[in-house]
Amino acid sequence: MPQDLGTVFYFDWELRFLHFLQSIHNPILDSIMLFFTNSGPIITILILISIVFPKTRRIGFQMLLASFISQILINNELKHLITRCRPCWLEPGVKLLVDCPNSYSFPSGHTSGFFALATAIFLSNKKFGIPALVFASLGAFSRLYLFVHWPTDVLSGILSGALCGVLSFLIIDALINIFRKKNKG
């Protein structure tokens, strides 16, 4: 936990909901939520594999760009502007399954990243996009279950991530059109 708690702001319902989630912990749910919250290396491998194959290259580059945009805008900029405390900073007595993060809470960087990727996939391929959105939703929920984010952090992460995914889709689409026009002319 950082020296400065930042802005201590939350709604009562958020804390009640997080405490409810703490009451339903069990070994099976714990394992599932830990898998989703720690899935970064698997996602990185999937992005790299998708870039290698021509059929999935566009989606791979969209995911890479969406992830980059989300990282820069959310984790490197927005969190430092808003400086919202995390629930685990406010209640250090809650037993955590993960280390309490040192970065500020709002919006959820994990959730933004999950939804940036899922949206980028969905916009190009609904067949892969729907499971990606389900995966992203479970990843987002894991952040609440693990007591490291407020529900409004996660909701804002969903919205900001979707925006990053749309932005990456539009940028890659524009670049593809530019290269097609250059190759035709």
Side-chain angles (χ1 to χ4, degrees), residues 5-24:
L5 284 180
T7 306
V8 179
F9 172 79
Y10 61 92
F11 296 101
D12 288 339
W13 66 266
E14 290 185 283
L15 190 56
R16 284 195 307 274
F17 181 67
L18 292 178
H19 282 288
F20 165 73
L21 292 179
Q22 291 302 297
S23 75
I24 64 168

Side-chain angles (χ1 to χ4, degrees), residues 25-72:
H25 273 245
N26 65 65
I28 293 171
L29 277 177
D30 291 354
S31 296
I32 292 168
M33 294 301 129
L34 286 170
F35 168 78
F36 281 101
T37 214
N38 293 319
S39 60
I42 295 168
I43 292 169
T44 301
I45 291 168
L46 289 174
I47 291 171
L48 295 175
I49 289 171
S50 63
I51 288 172
V52 169
F53 295 102
K55 275 189 160 187
T56 56
R57 189 166 291 144
R58 176 190 174 124
I59 292 174
F61 279 116
Q62 283 174 202
M63 288 190 297
L64 186 64
L65 182 58
S67 180
F68 178 75
I69 293 169
S70 173
Q71 178 67 35
I72 296 299

Side-chain angles (χ1 to χ4, degrees), residues 28-130:
I28 293 171
L29 277 177
D30 291 354
S31 296
I32 292 168
M33 294 301 129
L34 286 170
F35 168 78
F36 281 101
T37 214
N38 293 319
S39 60
I42 295 168
I43 292 169
T44 301
I45 291 168
L46 289 174
I47 291 171
L48 295 175
I49 289 171
S50 63
I51 288 172
V52 169
F53 295 102
K55 275 189 160 187
T56 56
R57 189 166 291 144
R58 176 190 174 124
I59 292 174
F61 279 116
Q62 283 174 202
M63 288 190 297
L64 186 64
L65 182 58
S67 180
F68 178 75
I69 293 169
S70 173
Q71 178 67 35
I72 296 299
L73 291 180
I74 305 310
N75 289 330
N76 294 359
E77 297 300 327
L78 203 51
K79 282 186 179 216
H80 299 288
L81 290 173
I82 297 171
T83 67
R84 186 181 195 189
C85 78
R86 290 179 180 269
C88 54
W89 296 355
L90 213 55
E91 293 194 8
V94 172
K95 184 180 177 226
L96 299 180
L97 300 174
V98 295
D99 291 335
C100 187
N102 290 324
S103 63
Y104 292 109
S105 187
F106 185 89
S108 168
H110 273 77
T111 302
S112 180
F114 284 133
F115 275 87
L117 296 170
T119 302
I121 296 168
F122 183 80
L123 292 172
S124 286
N125 185 313
K126 307 288 186 272
K127 184 174 114 180
F128 294 135
I130 291 171

